[in-house]
Amino acid sequence: MKRRALTGLLALVAGLLVVPVPAQAAPAAGAQPTPRQVLSPTPYQGWNTYFGLGGAFSEQSVREVADALVSRGLAKAGYDIVWLDGGWQDPEPRTAAGDLQADRTRFPGGLKPLVDYIHSKGLRAGIYTDAGPYIPGKCGLGSGGYYRRDADQFAAWEFDAVKVDFLCGIAANLDPKTVYTEFAQALRNNASGRPIIFNLCNPVTSPDWGNYPEEQQSTYSWTYAPEIAQSWRTYTDVGFVGDIKFKDVLRNYDANARHPEVAGPGRYNDPDYLAPQLGMSDEEFRTQMTLWAVAAAPLVIGSDVRTLSQTSVDILTDADMLAINQDPAAVQAVRVGPAGTTETWVKRLANGDRAVVLLNRGEAPAVLTTKASAVGLSGARFTVRNAWTDQVTESAGTISAAVPAHGAALFRVGPARGLPGVPHLTASLPQVTQVGGDALPAGTAPVLAGGDQARVEVAVRNDGSLPVFTPRVDLAAPDGWTVRPLGPAPKLLAPGGRATVAFAVTLPATAAAGTATLTATTSYDVLGHGRLRQRTASTLVIAPTPPDGDAVLSHHTWISATSGWMSPTVDLSVGGGSPISMLGQVYPTGIGVASPSTVRYYVGDRCSRLTAVVGIDDAVRNVGPEGGTATFQVVGDGRVLYDSGVVTRDAVGHVDVDLTGVRVLDLVVGDAGDGGYNDRADWATLSATC
């Protein structure tokens, strides 16, 4: 493993610094020396039924989606594979003769008429099976023992792509490399000679699925899949049907990024499907799109495109973003610098430019920067094109962006030529730095309440090669709020210059709970370009009324609540199926979550004490012995007031902390370092004295 890791590191560094397109990988031992046909020179694009339609889709619903792909401009943007996932098969998946058959009610004419319709729309068709044998009760469909027969059937139906799962495979304890290699050979040699894209989809991971040998997991597919498939899944599913979380998008991206050296034209690491409107905000989905684009990942929409908002469609079809994903070099991005809350990722493009991502994983907006030299470029002037805004500026070597929480900036950066361009000026999102004279803990999302006075800052920096004159920042707040500048703006920002403009913002005592927006307009003069403007905005949380008296906190309105799996539940274990119970004792009140989790309350400096019993819910005993460990912390205004250490299913912790002076209370559950498998955690009898 050490030798493999060293080889991967050397390949990664070489890929960052060298411009030529990588050659196809050498054939595996024993393979024929003839070059493999490149079926998808750039990452394929399409749509899949799994997240958007579930398993009960029909010929009619798939036809409607195919129509929508065309009518909404998605097909024109490259999303041209209509992919049937699990569920297309009949309750009796094979005929007496051994042929696969579609559900006879939902596809009365079989699959061929649907494939013909898809093709008539100028689209391609994809289908699903599993590498293992069909095992009723364990998986819905399997091709084990029928690889050649099924490959020939898919080709005869004129499918263009096949996704091959491993649910039956893991149930039968098979070796993925062996069976996937056999299936790949059957697909390549199908009786019709039809080219078929092969998506190798082993989603098995540890500890998410339990404990499995390394060779059976998705994280091992990179060692053999590039020689036999056009793409291979690199981790488990990106989420659950209707419940895709930003943290799991980041988890899948990080796993997908482990082996960029094996990606190239016709072979792609696959972090799973795109998830607009399936649990994430528009900003979070734009970040997923950014990361998948630079990962040279296949772009397969998981949502029902018939119901997507125009904003989602615009994100999916952005031309600059797609050009980066479809770059013919098919190089996968690598991280520059350390991992952390904020990161820089870079993808080398075929013409020598770099796609640069400034990623903010955190809960507060930030101005992120990197250097052109750090992403492999040399020179004194650089053109910076913002893929999402289409703004083109010029930098003298620093690349910066104001990035919201859970956001990402995507730039295409290359050498600048000709006359100096518009300076690359960055104005931060309006940022609350103090509330009532107290500094806000770094990296935390601000919470305000009626009557609060806050200090709000907008930082401005000029990374161009020309000065900007008379910069001005104006801050707009909701009606009834007051905004007062706390000093003059500078008269000039020279190249490399920075300034911070501050405001005192006061909320009316009657400010309603919910969210509010602060919008900063930054304007400035540039010789030869006139007066320019850019707007940045931040969304603030306005707190609900704090608890009063002896409060059952689980019955009080929280500001926000997250759960690693599903959603937090009140007075029930996570999932809502059973009362909160630990070590056989049932608790009538509390909050059930899965790790990792944060539940945030506003207590407004009005409470003196918090008590609770914390631990792992007895429901985990119905799942299995693996996992079921967590950590519990009570955090007040960024300061840890209670830390349980590692809690197993065989113990509970007792919380009794002083809340004096605390405005914002966070109840945090971690996975104890072993992943979130079977981590069903409880905050029982959660009570505050206020």
Side-chain angles (χ1 to χ4, degrees), residues 363-661:
E363 303 302 320
V367 173
L368 308 186
T369 65
T370 189
K371 296 287 187 182
S373 57
V375 301
L377 294 170
S378 60
R381 297 167 51 212
F382 304 91
T383 297
V384 179
R385 183 179 183 90
N386 188 316
W388 292 115
T389 67
D390 299 330
Q391 182 185 39
V392 179
T393 56
E394 184 175 302
S395 168
T398 298
I399 304 157
S400 59
V403 186
H406 296 188
L410 176 60
F411 297 112
R412 184 174 186 130
V413 185
R417 298 177 178 86
L419 296 173
V422 173
H424 186 70
L425 184 138
T426 299
S428 72
L429 280 70
Q431 190 156 4
V432 176
T433 59
Q434 294 180 8
V435 178
D438 296 327
L440 190 73
T444 60
V447 176
L448 302 177
D452 279 346
Q453 183 178 91
R455 179 183 174 93
V456 177
E457 297 180 351
V458 177
V460 184
R461 55 183 296 149
N462 178 12
D463 294 318
S465 54
L466 293 177
V468 300
F469 299 95
T470 59
R472 175 187 172 93
V473 179
D474 294 296
L475 185 66
D479 291 342
W481 295 32
T482 61
V483 176
R484 177 171 56 86
L486 294 178
K491 295 182 179 180
L492 176 144
L493 272 182
R498 307 179 190 182
T500 298
V501 181
F503 302 86
V505 177
T506 304
L507 283 67
T510 56
T515 59
T517 301
L518 295 178
T519 302
T521 301
T522 303
S523 58
Y524 47 96
D525 288 315
V526 178
L527 290 176
H529 297 281
R531 190 148 187 94
L532 305 177
R533 288 174 176 79
Q534 55 178 272
R535 288 181 174 84
T536 55
S538 292
T539 300
L540 307 179
V541 171
I542 311 304
T545 303
D548 186 37
D550 293 327
V552 177
L553 203 54
S554 59
H555 295 173
H556 187 72
T557 302
W558 56 48
I559 294 172
S560 60
T562 65
S563 176
W565 171 69
M566 297 192 73
S567 299
T569 48
V570 174
D571 300 342
L572 294 169
S573 68
V574 69
S578 59
I580 291 173
S581 173
M582 294 177 286
L583 300 181
Q585 181 174 346
V586 174
Y587 297 85
T589 64
I591 302 173
V593 298
S595 74
S597 165
T598 300
V599 181
R600 170 167 279 196
Y601 286 101
Y602 179 70
V603 293
D605 192 11
R606 296 189 186 180
C607 299
S608 60
R609 186 183 182 201
L610 177 78
T611 60
V613 180
V614 298
I616 304 300
D617 197 273
D618 289 337
V620 304
R621 301 177 192 275
N622 300 323
V623 179
E626 299 87 6
T629 59
T631 59
F632 296 80
Q633 288 187 327
V634 176
V635 181
D637 296 330
R639 182 168 55 93
V640 177
L641 307 177
Y642 169 85
D643 190 330
S644 69
V646 176
V647 177
T648 70
R649 65 184 71 192
D650 298 317
V652 296
H654 295 273
V655 178
D656 191 339
V657 298
D658 185 354
L659 293 185
T660 303

